[in-house]
Amino acid sequence: MAIYTEILQGGTNSHGVTVEDFNAFATDFLENGVVGAITNTAGVSPATGAFALNEQGTPDMTLACTAGIAYVLGTPTSGVSQRLRVNLSANQNVTIASNATGGTRYDWVYISLDAAKMKDPAVGADDVATLVTSRSTSASSDDGTPPTFGYCIAVITVANGASTILNASISDKRQQLIPVADASIKNEKLSTTAGEPGGVWKDWTPTFTNLTVSAGNAVLTYAKYTVIGKTCHFRLKVTCAGANVGTAPVFTLPLQAAATVAVTEVIGGAAFTDAGNATWYGPLQIASSTTAGLVVLNGGGSYTNTVPISALIPFTWGNTDYIVASGTYEAA
């Protein structure tokens, strides 16, 4: 057993510098990602920066990939894990195959490293990294043929029979690597679930049970969420229109909750406002791994408990009465 140090040059017993030694800082401290500033529009193209994918000027089934530098982890055949600096020296096109499956498919676009070429590259080392696609039935996980060593830069929604790919169908999955000035390390720089930009509150459409939210009935005023790491934050407001509230309403969460989040666990709070009169409050509770239930505090007994809201609880609902709820929980 021994403790070794690496990269010792000069003097007695000078050591040669191996690829593992030379690459140690990149392997130990960097994640996969691109170098330099990147932008997109609410998570989709148009995008800028290294390895940005955008629709063509005249849209077709090829996408334009912007030149730039990325770091991607791979292991050469019979070698050790290392993070390679990949340099796309000029803009390049990525072709998206046609889709005749009868349903929507999702092409995951990767910077892919070839293990054999990592060991024995061409003289110019221009055959180690390529841009490849993997067709999946899911936008959230690649069930196609992802590369062994690769970094996903985008997920493309490919409609059945599509003849063009537009920016709205290009979900940007890149992350910016250092250097980032300390003053720029803000919430929007954080890495989040599925590569979404941290700090961006996105719309979602919850499904309600025992609460009629449709044309001519209650109205979903807003429903927003954001995800940082595995933590999901959300908020919503429903404006009622009379007798649209049933007994024990529940609504679907933006993301499925982790298995460790127990049913009845309190993940936030809700307020029930009789417009122009008063407001009642209650905890927001997990009803299942995908739903939360609306209950109100009941102070009528020796101890405070909760009861589900209904058409008459905590008051008789009328036009312009409303429900607001917000919460935070661990996503699956």
Side-chain angles (χ1 to χ4, degrees):
M1 182 177 181
I3 299 177
Y4 297 99
T5 56
E6 296 183 344
I7 311 184
L8 299 173
Q9 292 289 302
T12 304
N13 294 329
S14 177
H15 288 250
V17 178
T18 67
V19 171
E20 183 179 8
D21 295 337
F22 183 78
N23 194 252
F25 285 102
T27 303
D28 294 346
F29 295 107
L30 291 183
E31 297 291 336
N32 287 344
V34 301
V35 176
I38 61 175
T39 68
N40 57 47
T41 303
V44 300
S45 294
T48 65
F51 290 92
L53 285 178
N54 290 285
E55 67 182 43
Q56 296 285 0
T58 301
D60 55 22
M61 294 298 285
T62 64
L63 302 175
C65 185
T66 305
I69 294 170
Y71 281 83
V72 183
L73 185 68
T75 302
T77 302
S78 303
V80 296
S81 178
Q82 52 195 266
R83 202 172 302 277
L84 298 191
R85 186 175 187 266
V86 178
N87 184 357
L88 180 62
S89 60
N91 294 356
Q92 181 175 318
N93 287 341
V94 176
T95 300
I96 304 300
S98 60
N99 175 20
T101 62
T104 300
R105 293 295 182 264
Y106 303 91
D107 276 18
W108 292 59
V109 183
Y110 295 91
I111 303 170
S112 175
L113 301 180
D114 185 302
K117 296 297 185 180
M118 290 175 70
K119 178 183 179 183
D120 296 306
V123 173
D126 55 0
D127 57 349
V128 177
T130 54
L131 295 174
V132 302
T133 61
S134 171
R135 178 147 293 179
S136 173
T137 62
S138 170
S140 58
S141 61
D142 186 357
D143 59 14
T145 55
T148 303
F149 305 113
Y151 171 54
C152 179
I153 57 175
V155 175
I156 316 303
T157 300
V158 188
N160 183 62
S163 59
T164 59
I165 301 295
L166 302 178
N167 282 335
S169 297
I170 306 171
S171 180
D172 188 6
K173 300 301 180 185
R174 300 168 300 154
Q175 296 183 59
Q176 180 185 357
L177 288 177
I178 56 173
V180 178
D182 289 345
S184 298
I185 302 177
K186 300 176 182 177
N187 193 41
E188 62 268 20
K189 300 290 185 181
L190 297 177
S191 172
T192 62
T193 299
E196 294 174 349
V200 174
W201 284 78
K202 303 180 72 173
D203 294 322
W204 110 92
T205 304
T207 299
F208 292 87
T209 301
N210 296 333
L211 176 59
T212 305
V213 178
S214 62
N217 293 295
V219 174
L220 180 65
T221 308
Y222 60 76
K224 299 276 190 177
Y225 78 103
T226 189
V227 184
I228 302 177
K230 286 287 189 178
T231 303
C232 180
H233 307 273
F234 68 91
R235 55 191 176 89
L236 61 81
K237 178 180 180 180
V238 176
T239 302
C240 297
N244 308 124
V245 180
T247 300
V250 299
F251 61 87
T252 54
L253 297 166
L255 299 173
Q256 181 173 338
T260 54
V261 180
V263 172
T264 72
E265 180 173 327
V266 175
I267 59 171
F272 312 102
T273 298
D274 185 4
N277 294 297
T279 298
W280 287 257
Y281 299 94
L284 190 64
Q285 297 177 304
I286 286 287
S288 72
S289 64
T290 58
T291 59
L294 295 169
V295 298
V296 66
L297 290 172
N298 175 25
S302 299
Y303 303 97
T304 300
N305 61 0
T306 61
V307 294
I309 69 169
S310 69
L312 303 177
I313 299 174
F315 51 82
T316 301
W317 295 85
N319 291 339
T320 72
D321 296 341
Y322 60 90
I323 299 167
V324 292
S326 62
T328 298
Y329 65 96
E330 179 187 358

